[in-house]
């Protein structure tokens, strides 16, 4: 579908308002990840599903820095990796996507209908924790959000082999929204873009706290098991989506005035 791009923040001609809203929110999420310096140059990815039976989803145009991401830079693809935004050249720009990003994100969007947005990061703290045999330790309030709700997937090399998708989905499981990719980085999803942001924010903060605590060399304090379970339940109660929306509105103020809605 060829559309005429606009610079006033409104949906381009020929594009549904719902898709444009998702594009704007997803571009904002890219910029929030950049704001917190959880990027890896032009690598790693965030995707969002477009509602409908086709399982089409949006992912970053390969080569755009996260801090420069705009709604119009996002590429719509299907679960086979086909670009659906018209020609390979769109508005004078290459519409290439990263092959590894396609493998990881298409797997989740095909298998987990509940996860409409998926975030994958290669932050220093996330990679460091992913290389630690004990994984994420229950030593902070942030980490306890994921106690009993965190998956792990072993490293198989750069995610270019499509047959890895089955194993990745198996390891993620039917209900967890966050996963550590061993020797690789972090992955988090959500029923909405705000919830995905909330998940990756807490996971990144938990990893940063763990690296800082371990670097101090002192003996660590672990909360009792009943406190771990209680805290995880508090974090994952029925209020989760509403709180994520509340926090998302506050997060957007950090990138206020930027031109991601273009």
């Amino acid at each position: 579908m060829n559309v005429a791009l606009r610079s006033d923040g409104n949906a381009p001609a020929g594009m549904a308002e719902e898709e444009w809203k998702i594009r704007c929110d997803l571009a904002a999420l890219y910029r929030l990840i950049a704001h917190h310096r959880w990027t890896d140059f032009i690598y790693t990815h965030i995707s969002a599903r477009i509602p409908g039976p086709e399982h089409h989803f949006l992912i970053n145009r390969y080569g755009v820095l996260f801090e420069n991401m705009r709604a119009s830079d996002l590429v719509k693809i299907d679960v086979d990796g086909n670009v659906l935004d018209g020609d390979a050249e769109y508005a004078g720009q290459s519409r290439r996507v990263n092959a590894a990003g396609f493998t990881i994100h298409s797997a989740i969007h095909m298998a987990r209908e509940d996860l409409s947005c998926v975030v994958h990061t290669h932050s220093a703290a996330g990679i460091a924790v992913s290389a630690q045999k004990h994984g994420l330790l229950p030593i902070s309030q942030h980490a306890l959000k994921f106690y009993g709700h965190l998956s792990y997937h072993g490293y198989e090399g750069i995610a270019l082999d499509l047959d890895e998708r089955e194993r990745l989905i198996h390891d993620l499981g039917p209900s967890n929204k966050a996963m550590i990719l061993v020797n690789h980085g972090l992955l988090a999803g959500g029923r909405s873009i705000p919830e995905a942001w909330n998940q990756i924010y807490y996971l990144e903060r938990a990893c940063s706290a763990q690296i800082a605590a371990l670097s101090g060399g002192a003996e660590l304090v672990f909360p009792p098991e009943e406190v771990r379970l209680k805290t995880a339940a508090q974090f994952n109660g029925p209020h989760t989506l509403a709180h994520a929306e509340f926090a998302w509105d506050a997060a957007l103020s950090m990138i206020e005035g930027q031109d991601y809605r273009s």
Side-chain angles (χ1 to χ4, degrees):
M1 177 180 65
N2 292 318
V3 297
L5 300 183
R6 299 178 58 155
S7 59
D8 57 7
N10 296 318
M15 182 179 292
E17 290 287 345
E18 184 177 32
E19 178 179 336
W20 185 246
K21 174 65 165 57
I22 294 170
R23 283 179 174 268
C24 290
D25 283 348
L26 185 56
L29 182 49
Y30 272 97
R31 297 211 180 196
L32 285 170
I33 294 294
H35 177 85
H36 287 278
R37 300 186 177 182
W38 296 332
T39 62
D40 186 14
F41 192 39
I42 62 171
Y43 307 104
T44 76
H45 329 277
I46 313 172
S47 63
R49 183 188 298 118
I50 298 173
E54 301 88 357
H55 289 87
H56 295 162
F57 63 96
L58 298 167
I59 199 166
N60 50 314
R61 179 167 65 86
Y62 200 19
V64 178
L65 294 173
F66 283 21
E67 55 261 42
N68 296 331
M69 198 67 65
R70 302 170 302 165
S72 57
D73 287 316
L74 298 163
V75 183
K76 182 162 60 175
I77 61 177
D78 63 20
V79 293
D80 295 315
N82 298 309
V83 175
L84 304 174
D85 284 322
D87 298 331
E89 291 293 326
Y90 177 70
Q93 300 171 338
S94 169
R95 308 304 289 174
R96 291 180 59 199
V97 299
N98 181 280
F102 164 73
T103 300
I104 294 170
H105 290 256
S106 63
I108 297 171
H109 284 301
M110 285 192 296
R112 290 286 300 273
E113 292 281 349
D114 58 315
L115 299 182
S116 64
C117 180
V118 179
V119 186
H120 172 42
T121 61
H122 291 169
S123 65
I127 294 171
V129 171
S130 81
Q132 295 176 340
K133 191 171 184 178
H134 47 58
L136 186 66
L137 298 172
I139 58 172
S140 69
Q141 180 166 280
H142 288 71
L144 290 175
K145 173 180 173 68
F146 302 99
Y147 191 70
H149 298 272
L150 183 64
S151 301
Y152 293 83
H153 174 65
Y155 188 60
E156 300 185 22
I158 298 174
L160 300 176
D161 299 325
L162 293 181
D163 61 358
E164 185 180 350
R165 295 191 293 191
E166 182 177 350
R167 295 183 292 278
L168 189 148
I169 287 301
H170 176 270
D171 291 341
L172 179 61
S175 60
N176 286 351
K177 298 186 180 77
M179 182 160 65
I180 291 181
L181 305 177
V182 178
N183 304 118
H184 185 173
L186 306 179
L187 186 144
R191 292 165 288 178
S192 64
I193 290 174
E195 186 178 46
W197 159 247
N198 184 271
Q199 290 283 319
I200 197 64
Y201 176 84
Y202 272 90
L203 189 56
E204 287 282 1
R205 293 277 289 175
C207 289
S208 295
Q210 177 167 316
I211 296 304
L214 290 174
S215 68
E219 184 178 358
L220 300 178
V221 176
F222 288 80
E225 176 69 7
E226 60 270 22
V227 174
R228 302 179 197 182
L229 294 172
K230 174 184 177 180
T231 309
Q234 289 173 322
F235 268 119
N236 295 284
H239 64 282
T240 303
L241 271 179
H243 176 79
E245 293 282 350
F246 185 70
W248 173 254
D249 289 340
L252 289 179
S253 67
M254 292 187 286
I255 57 170
E256 188 175 356
Q258 297 186 18
D259 65 343
Y260 61 89
R261 295 186 183 91
S262 62

